[in-house]
Amino acid sequence: MIDPDSELEARYRSVTVTPDWYQTNIPCQVGCPAHTDVSTYIGLISQARFDEAYLLNRKANVVPGVLGRTCAKPCEPVCRRNKIDGKPISICWLKRAASDHREYRHHAECPPVTKDKKVAIVGAGSAGMACARDLRDMGYPVTIYEQYPTAGGVMVNGIPVWRLPRYVTTEECDEYMADIGVEIKYNTRVGRDVQIADLLKEYDAVYLAAGCYIPNALTGPDNKVIKGADLHGVIDGIRLLEKTNYGEPAFIGKKVAVLGSGFTAMDCSRTAIRFGAEKVYIMYRRSKEEAGSDEYEVDEAVFEHVEFNYLVTQLEVTSEDGIHVNGMRFIRNKLGDPDASGRRRPVPIPGTEFEIDVDTVIPAFGQYSDVSWLPAEELGLEVNKWGVPLLDIDTWMTNHPGLFAGGDFTQGARNLISAIGDGRDAAGAINRYLGGVDKPAEPAEEVELPDYRRGMVDNYESIPHQMLPSLELKDRYSHTRETETGYTPEQAVIQARRCLQCQLNIMIDPSICILCSGCVDICPYDCISMEGLSRVVKADPMHEDTEDWRGGADMIIDEEKCIRCGLCIVRCPTDAISMVQFEVASPNSRWTVSKIPVINVN
């Protein structure tokens, strides 16, 4: 039979390869809100080129040393390495390695001021600094108004020192902003020391990136504030971290209940251990599967003897003297139908009430934005029911001309990298509003690599994933000593060599392919197949001239399975197969696959 697949249904549809296709074919970069060029910086680390990897990171995510310790890691669950051994590339921890093991300090050059319009930013957190950096690169003079004595926002007032040393935030926030010429007015609260209306008169554009710092109320199953919520010994998680991070007096007792399961709850529980608590409970109303923190954070807390209790909801904070906490009552739950968040709703089970003895209660239910300083009525702002400004999401601008907003202030409490992505998008929108034009995109290029091994070692497929080295338990009882010690340079290089380098693609030249099936036979993951023309949807762009063919075949490559091993290149008798590196830069370089040569590793 000329076409053995002729009786089978069409299964494949060919598409014309565009930059968009290549971009979506790099899953880690798709998963990163800042679109960090992950594959290239991991490739640089695999060659111990830590300084280049650090600078490449800083282009995209502004604070690589910070994120290498604290990122929520949305890139890692989608990493294709998961499909080989169930463990992703340690993208986050390798970012830290690039920061830790670089040879030079890398003070940034100050971009010249080339624009005659000024921008003010409210808040020197993730979104504010990302917006400021990109606007400075475009030539705008930028001033940030910051209520705290340091830049960094939640990096400093919300993340414990034992997770994120302050020499890292000082370098990447305060000093970096100073290097690039961003003026920061510290200890300046907008709405008290300066008014939004005055900023709108003085500046050509104003960006609100004030963060999300007001803790949600301590409520029970009926969503009403529970009895005892105002007792001494009840302190909101975000307030506790702020106090301990800035060295202010903070009371943490011997028996502590932390309410919630997100990153703040994990940080509060482990901070309590370091401040002398003898017993710490995590109390969460849903199951472990619905919890907001990742598995690593939970495992670290368990290692430090934090006790987790799931499917329980608080009913009352109890007190013997009516002043101080001495216990807390809960009720057990079962899971009902999904609620608006998509998670199953906790349903109290009557008759399952119980009480625990505690002297400190730390609610960590998340935060919402403080809008008390924003004169919405005076400015004629359109706001939602919480008073947060409404935005045109394409322009990041409110209905008041020249007033922009973003980050967690408008989007709700999320994570650092998402806010950084918002800030960078807002910078481009502000530039366009002020009459600027986007930095043009670079045309996509496919560069054939003369060394098809592109710097990889032979055993990369079998290199095991290594957890990040940390202090032993006996050495963790310090609020100022960093708990995670990080990869050594040698460990970082080895872990980076696990990367499949998804910006590389196998290409088959149809003009010299003889359909011998050698590549199909040798492929270790069966990602190359030969399919009869009848299996391809007719009249698609690449097959419009094959309608009258009696037979024929297509070579199909499954990008999800390909590990870029290059065995097909070796096997091909006609040299029809090559390894191609995709290189591109989108407008304003918001999505870039860098043109950095990959050298061979001997």
Side-chain angles (χ1 to χ4, degrees):
M1 183 181 295
I2 294 177
D3 185 352
D5 297 335
S6 60
E7 296 180 2
L8 299 176
E9 294 181 357
R11 181 180 180 185
Y12 303 98
R13 177 185 295 274
S14 63
V15 296
T16 302
V17 175
T18 64
D20 287 342
W21 181 88
Y22 279 116
Q23 290 171 353
T24 56
N25 197 46
I26 308 174
C28 53
Q29 198 163 4
V30 173
C32 176
H35 305 314
T36 305
D37 185 1
V38 175
S39 51
T40 303
Y41 90 70
I42 297 293
L44 290 169
I45 293 174
S46 75
Q47 303 161 42
R49 295 160 71 180
F50 296 109
D51 289 70
E52 292 171 83
Y54 178 81
L55 291 174
L56 184 59
N57 261 293
R58 195 164 70 178
K59 286 182 180 179
N61 53 48
V62 187
V63 286
V66 171
L67 290 171
R69 292 164 165 83
T70 62
C71 191
K73 300 182 278 193
C75 52
E76 293 188 13
V78 298
C79 173
R80 284 204 182 107
R81 180 74 200 207
N82 282 304
K83 298 182 179 180
I84 292 182
D85 54 13
K87 295 291 184 180
I89 303 303
S90 299
I91 298 171
C92 174
W93 295 338
L94 288 171
K95 190 181 284 109
R96 170 182 173 167
S99 174
D100 287 355
H101 303 308
R102 60 198 151 115
E103 184 176 0
Y104 299 106
R105 166 68 173 73
H106 297 299
H107 279 283
E109 293 185 5
C110 184
V113 174
T114 58
K115 304 291 199 306
D116 59 1
K117 295 183 179 180
K118 303 185 299 180
V119 180
I121 295 175
V122 179
S126 305
M129 290 196 303
C131 182
R133 195 282 302 275
D134 281 14
L135 287 172
R136 282 297 299 116
D137 281 348
M138 297 173 192
Y140 291 96
V142 179
T143 302
I144 301 180
Y145 292 82
E146 171 55 51
Q147 67 171 322
Y148 288 98
T150 58
V154 76
M155 304 177 212
V156 177
N157 58 52
I159 298 177
V161 177
W162 51 266
R163 281 188 63 201
L164 179 57
R166 292 308 177 248
Y167 72 84
V168 179
T169 57
T170 298
E171 176 188 347
E172 295 193 338
C173 300
D174 301 89
E175 295 179 4
Y176 182 48
M177 289 294 106
D179 284 347
I180 62 176
V182 173
E183 179 186 9
I184 301 182
K185 294 183 181 294
Y186 295 108
N187 300 305
T188 303
R189 185 178 179 88
V190 176
R192 181 193 65 190
D193 305 309
V194 63
Q195 303 301 317
I196 281 289
D198 295 330
L199 295 181
L200 287 167
K201 292 176 183 177
E202 182 179 354
Y203 295 90
D204 299 284
V206 176
Y207 179 55
L208 307 181
C212 197
Y213 292 117
I214 304 299
N216 289 322
L218 175 48
T219 57
D222 58 359
N223 292 323
K224 296 180 180 179
V225 175
I226 65 174
K227 182 180 178 181
D230 57 351
L231 290 169
H232 287 287
V234 178
I235 179 170
D236 292 299
I238 194 69
R239 294 284 174 256
L240 173 68
L241 294 174
E242 182 182 60
K243 285 177 175 289
T244 56
N245 287 338
Y246 279 114
E248 299 176 13
F251 171 79
I252 300 177
K254 296 300 182 183
K255 295 182 178 180
V256 179
V258 180
L259 313 178
S261 73
F263 291 109
T264 299
M266 297 302 109
D267 286 347
C268 287
S269 66
R270 299 174 67 193
T271 293
I273 293 286
R274 285 156 176 78
F275 273 78
E278 297 172 356
K279 184 65 179 177
V280 178
Y281 303 93
I282 289 280
M283 313 296 285
Y284 180 52
R285 61 181 181 158
R286 291 186 170 94
S287 69
K288 183 177 181 179
E289 288 68 33
E290 280 86 16
S293 54
D294 62 29
E295 184 178 357
Y296 173 76
E297 294 283 343
V298 173
D299 290 344
E300 287 294 291
V302 170
F303 181 68
E304 294 175 5
H305 302 309
V306 174
E307 180 181 321
F308 283 74
N309 293 271
Y310 296 102
L311 291 170
V312 295
T313 298
Q314 56 282 349
L315 295 176
E316 178 187 358
V317 184
T318 61
S319 173
E320 293 179 350
D321 60 7
I323 300 174
H324 301 91
V325 174
N326 81 300
M328 194 161 190
R329 292 182 60 242
F330 293 86
I331 189 169
R332 300 192 186 280
N333 301 322
K334 62 181 179 180
L335 292 179
D337 296 330
D339 60 15
S341 70
R343 295 176 296 175
R344 295 179 66 187
R345 182 171 55 88
V347 179
I349 304 173
T352 61
E353 295 83 357
F354 67 98
E355 188 169 340
I356 60 174
D357 293 329
V358 293
D359 54 17
T360 305
V361 176
I362 306 174
F365 299 132
Q367 301 86 242
Y368 61 94
S369 299
D370 179 10
V371 295
S372 61
W373 54 275
L374 188 62
E377 187 173 345
E378 175 188 333
L379 297 174
L381 283 181
E382 295 178 359
V383 298
N384 62 18
K385 63 181 179 179
W386 297 284
V388 176
L390 297 176
L391 304 176
D392 179 335
I393 201 60
D394 293 324
T395 65
W396 294 92
M397 191 164 66
T398 68
N399 67 305
H400 190 292
L403 183 60
F404 297 78
D408 287 0
F409 180 64
T410 59
Q411 311 306 106
R414 296 166 300 162
N415 53 66
L416 301 180
I417 192 65
S418 294
I420 286 171
D422 288 356
R424 298 201 62 200
D425 286 339
I430 292 170
N431 174 52
R432 290 188 288 274
Y433 170 77
L434 296 177
V437 295
D438 286 334
K439 177 183 176 182
E442 296 180 12
E445 295 184 19
E446 296 175 356
V447 180
E448 182 177 347
L449 302 184
D451 171 18
Y452 72 89
R453 295 293 296 153
R454 90 291 186 211
M456 294 207 40
V457 293
D458 290 333
N459 67 334
Y460 73 97
E461 187 183 356
S462 61
I463 297 174
H465 176 270
Q466 180 178 348
M467 294 298 293
L468 193 71
S470 301
L471 295 176
E472 295 182 16
L473 184 61
K474 65 181 178 63
D475 297 323
R476 293 191 177 198
Y477 300 100
S478 167
H479 180 57
T480 58
R481 184 177 182 185
E482 188 172 12
T483 297
E484 296 170 338
T485 55
Y487 290 134
T488 65
E490 295 76 17
Q491 290 170 333
V493 168
I494 291 172
Q495 288 303 296
R497 288 177 177 176
R498 297 179 66 244
C499 180
L500 303 181
Q501 294 289 296
C502 292
Q503 86 279 20
L504 305 175
N505 298 275
I506 294 293
M507 295 293 180
I508 301 177
D509 185 344
S511 67
I512 54 178
C513 174
I514 59 174
L515 301 176
C516 68
S517 197
C519 56
V520 176
D521 294 337
I522 202 169
C523 180
Y525 279 84
D526 297 325
C527 65
I528 306 180
S529 62
M530 186 186 299
E531 305 284 351
L533 282 181
S534 57
R535 302 230 65 190
V536 181
V537 175
K538 297 299 183 288
D540 69 18
M542 295 182 65
H543 294 80
E544 57 186 12
D545 296 328
T546 65
E547 300 290 341
D548 299 330
W549 289 16
R550 295 182 59 201
D554 271 299
M555 300 303 298
I556 307 295
I557 301 177
D558 187 340
E559 286 288 338
E560 289 295 309
K561 294 181 180 179
C562 181
I563 64 170
R564 281 76 174 162
C565 65
L567 291 177
C568 55
I569 300 175
V570 178
R571 177 66 180 82
C572 182
T574 63
D575 293 329
I577 306 178
S578 59
M579 185 81 76
V580 171
Q581 176 163 314
F582 164 64
E583 300 171 345
V584 71
S586 67
N588 296 331
S589 297
R590 282 291 285 116
W591 188 308
T592 301
V593 178
S594 305
K595 299 181 179 180
I596 297 178
V598 180
I599 60 176
N600 190 36
V601 175
N602 295 319

